[in-house]
Amino acid sequence: MPLFSQQTDTATSISTSQATSNTSSNSIDGRTSCKMRKHIIARHRKEFFNERQRIDLPVISFPRVTIRSLPEDVLLDIFDFFCQTNRFMLPQPQSWIVLVHVCRRWRSVVYASPHRLDLQLFCFSTTPVRKTLDVWPRFPIVVSNLDLQTWSRSNDLDNIFAALEHRDRVCQITIAPTSNDMLERLFTVMQEPFPALTHWVFSLRSVVWREPLPDTFMGGSVPHVKWVSLIGVPFPGLPKLLLSSHNLVNLQLLCIPDTGYISPEAMVRCLSTLTNLKSFEIGFKSPASYPDPRNHHSPPLTHVILPALTKLAFRGVSEYLEDFAARVDTPLLQVDQLDIRFFNQLVFEMPHFSYFIGRILKPKIPLIATISIRPNVAASIALGVAGDDHELRVNRSSIGVLSRDLDWQISSLSQICDHFSTLLDNVEQLDICPSDPVLRQTKRLECDMDSAQWLEILQLFPAVRTLRISNDLVPLIVPALNELSGDMIVGVLPSLHDLFIGAFSSLEPLSSPWAIEKEQFITARQLANRPVTVHTWMIPLLPPIISLDITSSFDA
């Protein structure tokens, strides 16, 4: 018999034997002794080796290697993988501490490569800092009052302040004060420089503080910082602080209060020195953070180049972004990495920002657009390349305006989209649906808005071949289409070929496709030799990719 057949029969025999044993093992009472189980395992092992000897399979033996015989460079590779894999494991993010307690040799290898293994000492509110720092070598210190297990902030800052005394070793600071007393004490401690600081996260969302930070904060310089995230911090002197931060990669300035206003000109002057900056986010707390028209100067003839920037986020008045966009050039920024929201205003004049968008557009490719409606709360339009199932699949970016009423949302959305008509000319599929299927159950899509506002939106998409509408929005959109007459019947959505009526659940009652086919718009398109076929559609619960969000001011 061929060897392959012998192996197959043997495998079948062993498998049958194992199955029989498993069956008998399962029938054994749960109180079967450990000795009996070991006997069963030993019997299976003996049967297996007997079968191997009977068919004379070659035995391949490998030399045994113990952990003690590994060279130090191999050990270091293993340690590096272990530390990177377990870096943020809770409750102990310092995974290297486990290694140094194994043996003297491992401790020596770990201590000899502090940069490769990124050795750091984490100091939280509950860490006995004064005792801990005396035990370990002088590794960099990470300071945080955020409990990594509960993600809650601690009011006990004695250990935090003890760690901040080691300014020459503090490499990361993540602090969110919970009271003004705590904040005042922090301001006093952090007037001195932190020369080793690389990551700085500071949030004042939980306190009320309007007094601007002085220019001497952090000693007036953070030369090695790579990541800065300030939330609700009034710090108008920040551009001056960052002038020497040439290694900065990520800059987040969120919820800037009125007392922390930074002009577009000052912000661009600061960014011009940050040649390694990849992500920039700036957002203001209220529309009162407004460029002073009296200080407005004509944009420069040459743009400041931000060579590494790949992500841009903004929240504020359109005039601020218009002034900013007129001063910068971002060769690596992609249109799907924009996250921009405007406060509500009557008119949006953004010629410079429109030109800015035009400079970063890719060659013409077919796109999908999704207009999402949140009743009485928000609306958004999303753009992107479709996946294999004709749904958006990539990261989300946004451009929009903060407003509440649906008619204001649609009107503002039309104004903003009109500035990006070149981009919308690529859209071949348009989806319109509620963004939250739960919220729509409690807030009906009722509005006295003029149907012409819907037509203003729809006529911005001349290349759309597929229109998909949620069943909830049919009573709002289809009547608007029915009002079209004459040349406008084919002038709005001239390329339309398929109309889908959708629902979030198969149990949700749908408008009958047969009834939709009787609508005046469908009949008129048929007579104009531009027929539209009606289908049904199951709406997926997926995030959009490039969205122009229209959200309410009370969500700000």
Side-chain angles (χ1 to χ4, degrees):
M1 182 180 293
L3 178 59
F4 177 80
S5 299
Q6 293 180 10
Q7 291 175 334
T8 304
D9 294 341
T10 302
T12 304
S13 172
I14 295 176
S15 175
T16 304
S17 175
Q18 289 176 339
T20 305
S21 298
N22 287 337
T23 304
S24 62
S25 177
N26 291 334
S27 65
I28 296 176
D29 190 279
R31 292 171 295 181
T32 302
S33 66
C34 180
K35 183 177 180 180
M36 177 64 74
R37 293 174 183 170
K38 289 182 178 180
H39 174 73
I40 295 173
I41 294 174
R43 181 163 58 85
H44 281 302
R45 184 181 292 121
K46 183 177 180 180
E47 290 177 359
F48 174 76
F49 283 107
N50 288 338
E51 290 292 339
R52 285 190 59 146
Q53 292 177 2
R54 186 175 68 81
I55 61 177
D56 196 25
L57 287 176
V59 178
I60 303 176
S61 60
F62 297 94
R64 291 191 175 186
V65 178
T66 64
I67 194 70
R68 295 178 180 273
S69 62
L70 293 178
E72 292 189 356
D73 58 336
V74 175
L75 273 180
L76 185 58
D77 288 338
I78 296 173
F79 293 168
D80 187 23
F81 176 79
F82 174 79
C83 290
Q84 293 298 327
T85 305
N86 298 278
R87 180 168 179 77
F88 298 104
M89 294 296 289
L90 304 179
Q92 177 56 272
Q94 303 163 111
S95 53
W96 59 270
I97 291 182
V98 177
L99 302 176
V100 301
H101 281 93
V102 173
C103 65
R104 187 173 301 175
R105 181 174 181 238
W106 284 27
R107 186 183 306 119
S108 175
V109 172
V110 170
Y111 285 172
S113 306
H115 297 291
R116 167 76 180 274
L117 300 179
D118 195 18
L119 303 186
Q120 297 173 340
L121 295 171
F122 283 73
C123 296
F124 303 109
S125 302
T126 56
T127 304
V129 172
R130 301 190 188 280
K131 296 180 180 179
T132 302
L133 296 184
D134 292 338
V135 174
W136 302 105
R138 291 179 55 83
F139 294 141
I141 299 174
V142 176
V143 182
S144 175
N145 76 319
L146 189 67
D147 189 326
L148 293 183
Q149 289 182 279
T150 62
W151 297 106
S152 61
R153 289 161 296 185
S154 172
N155 293 320
D156 184 7
L157 287 186
D158 290 339
N159 289 314
I160 297 297
F161 289 122
L164 291 176
E165 293 176 0
H166 301 265
R167 297 185 182 88
D168 59 331
R169 295 172 56 189
V170 173
C171 66
Q172 296 185 30
I173 298 177
T174 302
I175 295 182
T178 56
S179 68
N180 283 11
D181 292 340
M182 182 188 306
L183 184 57
E184 291 177 357
R185 188 177 174 187
L186 278 171
F187 284 164
T188 302
V189 173
M190 298 180 68
Q191 292 298 316
E192 300 296 327
F194 288 78
L197 188 67
T198 59
H199 291 69
W200 179 26
V201 179
F202 196 34
S203 174
L204 301 185
R205 293 289 296 270
S206 299
V207 298
V208 178
W209 186 274
R210 294 185 54 83
E211 184 177 348
L213 272 63
D215 292 348
T216 57
F217 193 68
M218 304 291 287
S221 175
V222 280
H224 297 104
V225 72
K226 297 180 179 179
W227 182 297
V228 173
S229 180
L230 305 182
I231 306 174
V233 178
F235 195 3
L238 179 67
K240 182 179 179 181
L241 177 73
L242 298 180
L243 286 177
S244 61
S245 305
H246 302 299
N247 297 320
L248 189 62
V249 175
N250 186 296
L251 177 59
Q252 293 179 324
L253 309 175
L254 308 178
C255 295
I256 301 174
D258 305 342
T259 53
Y261 179 77
I262 303 172
S263 69
E265 185 176 1
M267 198 71 253
V268 171
R269 190 183 309 115
C270 168
L271 297 181
S272 65
T273 65
L274 308 178
T275 56
N276 293 309
L277 187 68
K278 294 183 178 180
S279 176
F280 175 53
E281 302 177 46
I282 181 169
F284 297 94
K285 195 172 184 178
S286 76
S289 298
Y290 193 97
D292 190 346
R294 294 172 297 180
N295 298 330
H296 180 72
H297 303 286
S298 299
L301 297 178
T302 58
H303 297 107
V304 171
I305 298 178
L306 306 179
L309 193 69
T310 57
K311 179 181 179 181
L312 174 63
F314 171 80
R315 181 189 181 104
V317 296
S318 62
E319 288 80 1
Y320 190 102
L321 186 62
E322 175 72 0
D323 195 341
F324 178 87
R327 300 175 183 274
V328 299
D329 190 11
T330 54
L332 297 184
L333 181 64
Q334 303 295 322
V335 71
D336 63 345
Q337 292 299 315
L338 293 174
D339 185 357
I340 296 171
R341 302 187 183 189
F342 300 114
F343 288 110
N344 188 29
Q345 53 195 87
L346 290 175
V347 180
F348 293 87
E349 292 291 341
M350 303 178 291
H352 291 293
F353 183 60
S354 178
Y355 180 67
F356 175 83
I357 293 294
R359 293 200 306 268
I360 64 178
L361 282 179
K362 289 292 186 183
K364 182 174 181 178
I365 55 175
L367 299 176
I368 287 183
T370 299
I371 297 178
S372 301
I373 306 296
R374 297 188 66 195
N376 301 324
V377 178
S380 67
I381 180 170
L383 302 172
V385 181
D388 295 337
D389 56 355
H390 303 284
E391 307 296 344
L392 298 178
R393 286 288 189 233
V394 199
N395 294 332
R396 174 190 179 121
S397 300
S398 61
I399 304 174
V401 57
L402 300 175
S403 181
R404 176 167 182 167
D405 298 329
L406 180 59
D407 54 346
W408 276 95
Q409 294 170 0
I410 299 301
S411 175
S412 301
L413 191 60
S414 298
Q415 289 191 56
I416 295 175
C417 288
D418 193 40
H419 288 281
F420 313 110
S421 58
T422 303
L423 182 62
L424 301 185
D425 288 344
N426 299 347
V427 176
E428 296 186 0
Q429 177 179 311
L430 174 62
D431 301 343
I432 308 178
C433 61
S435 61
D436 190 338
V438 177
L439 182 64
R440 70 187 181 87
Q441 300 294 334
T442 58
K443 298 185 177 181
R444 295 181 57 83
L445 290 167
E446 297 178 351
C447 183
D448 296 330
M449 62 181 295
D450 188 350
S451 60
Q453 290 180 294
W454 283 108
L455 299 180
E456 290 177 1
I457 284 284
L458 294 176
Q459 66 184 0
L460 295 174
F461 299 90
V464 165
R465 293 181 52 83
T466 302
L467 175 62
R468 306 196 300 184
I469 305 175
S470 166
N471 189 57
D472 305 73
L473 293 169
V474 168
L476 295 179
I477 298 176
V478 172
L481 293 173
N482 287 337
E483 294 182 6
L484 295 173
S485 60
D487 295 338
M488 292 300 293
I489 293 176
V490 295
V492 175
L493 302 174
S495 304
L496 184 63
H497 186 270
D498 295 287
L499 173 62
F500 288 79
I501 307 301
F504 284 99
S505 170
S506 58
L507 301 178
E508 180 180 342
L510 277 173
S511 298
S512 170
W514 180 84
I516 298 296
E517 289 174 353
K518 300 298 183 181
E519 294 287 347
Q520 179 179 337
F521 171 71
I522 303 297
T523 304
R525 291 288 293 232
Q526 184 77 26
L527 295 175
N529 201 25
R530 298 286 184 88
V532 176
T533 305
V534 182
H535 314 267
T536 58
W537 166 45
M538 185 62 65
I539 304 175
L541 300 178
L542 294 174
I545 157 187
I546 306 174
S547 63
L548 291 78
D549 288 345
I550 314 299
T551 52
S552 64
S553 56
F554 54 79
D555 286 341

